[in-house]
């Protein structure tokens, strides 16, 4: 009789340990799924910098006491996010002119993007060339104006390799929660089996 009671206590203890492991595993999975997948640089003032910095596209940043901006080069456009430096609020409908060597272009404000867009083919073609590109931006609003200089470094071949590696890492990262869920299901089934054995012995 004492042997049977000891066996039942051991089974119940094992079941409790398994349930505790199940709860801990579910907690790990929930944290893994809730964690953000990318982080911007520390200490940025411009909110959009985190989004820009997380991509592998060529980009630039610049600021003065009046304005701060972040730019990102895409296949068919250059997108520029412009904010007021003191208040960190977006600046809309400003006059934004760019100079790149002997090239010049004006950026149009996009209501959808809440940013300025440059689509001039000659400037985009020049910015896509490997190397360091110095861009001079003239910003004019109804109440203020300023001149900003930014450097866009384009090493797309290197970035492409890094993006491929990051893509493979992301695939494995996204597989992780599913593996943990499968493990939790296995632990749960094992707990049910031990629970049935405990009832049968009673």
């Amino acid at each position: 009789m004492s042997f049977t009671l000891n066996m039942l206590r051991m089974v119940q203890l094992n079941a409790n340990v398994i349930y505790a492991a199940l709860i801990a595993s579910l907690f790990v999975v929930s944290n893994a799924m809730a964690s953000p997948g990318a982080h911007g640089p520390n200490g940025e003032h411009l909110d959009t910098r985190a989004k820009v910095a997380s991509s592998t596209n060529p980009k630039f940043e610049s600021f003065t006491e009046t304005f701060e901006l972040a730019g990102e080069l895409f296949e068919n456009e250059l997108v520029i996010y412009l904010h007021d430096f003191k208040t960190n609020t977006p600046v809309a409908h400003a006059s934004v002119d760019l100079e790149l060597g002997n090239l010049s272009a004006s950026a149009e404000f996009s209501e959808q993007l809440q940013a300025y867009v440059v689509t001039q083919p000659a400037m985009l073609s020049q910015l896509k060339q490997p190397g360091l590109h110095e861009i001079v931006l003239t910003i004019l609003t109804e109440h203020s104006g300023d001149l900003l200089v930014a450097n866009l470094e384009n090493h797309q071949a290197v970035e492409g390799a890094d993006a491929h590696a990051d893509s493979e890492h992301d695939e494995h990262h996204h597989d992780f929660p599913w593996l943990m869920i499968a493990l939790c299901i296995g632990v749960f089934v094992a707990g049910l089996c031990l629970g049935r054995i405990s009832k049968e012995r009673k």
Side-chain angles (χ1 to χ4, degrees):
M1 180 68 179
S2 61
F3 176 76
T4 302
L5 290 175
N6 289 334
M7 287 295 295
L8 289 175
R9 289 173 181 173
M10 291 179 63
V11 170
Q12 291 175 351
L13 178 61
N14 290 334
N16 291 334
V17 171
I18 290 174
Y19 286 133
L22 174 62
I23 294 174
S25 300
L26 290 175
F27 178 76
V28 171
V29 170
S30 62
N31 284 344
M33 297 181 69
S35 299
H39 302 277
N42 293 327
E44 59 261 341
H45 187 210
L46 185 62
D47 293 339
T48 52
R49 284 183 186 171
K51 180 180 179 181
V52 172
S54 65
S55 74
T56 58
N57 295 322
K59 58 186 68 68
F60 62 84
E61 295 180 5
S62 184
F63 69 92
T64 63
E65 294 181 355
T66 307
F67 302 111
E68 60 179 346
L69 57 81
E72 183 173 8
L73 179 63
F74 294 90
E75 180 66 25
N76 299 314
E77 61 186 9
L78 174 66
V79 179
I80 302 170
Y81 300 94
L82 179 65
H83 281 203
D84 182 273
F85 183 78
K86 294 180 180 179
T87 64
N88 198 32
T89 56
V91 178
H93 304 292
S95 171
V96 179
D97 296 317
L98 294 80
E99 293 183 6
L100 176 65
N102 60 348
L103 299 175
S104 61
S106 297
E108 299 293 333
F109 183 73
S110 169
E111 294 285 353
Q112 181 180 0
L113 297 176
Q114 288 296 299
Y116 295 84
V117 180
V118 178
T119 57
Q120 188 191 75
M123 181 167 289
L124 295 180
S125 178
Q126 181 64 30
L127 291 174
K128 290 177 184 178
Q129 299 300 316
L132 186 64
H133 305 282
E134 183 179 86
I135 305 172
V136 179
L137 300 99
T138 303
I139 313 296
L140 294 175
T141 65
E142 293 182 357
H143 305 290
S144 61
D146 214 335
L147 190 71
L148 294 87
V149 178
N151 291 317
L152 181 145
E153 186 173 3
N154 193 343
H155 42 94
Q156 194 63 43
V158 177
E159 294 285 33
D162 292 342
H164 179 69
D166 291 341
S167 176
E168 291 182 352
H169 176 269
D170 289 340
E171 289 179 2
H172 293 298
H173 174 76
H174 291 309
D175 288 340
F176 173 73
W178 295 110
L179 179 62
M180 289 298 298
I181 291 173
L183 178 62
C184 291
I185 293 174
V187 172
F188 181 73
V189 172
L192 289 179
C193 292
L194 288 177
R196 290 182 179 178
I197 293 174
S198 175
K199 290 181 180 180
E200 290 176 358
R201 291 185 179 275
K202 288 181 179 180

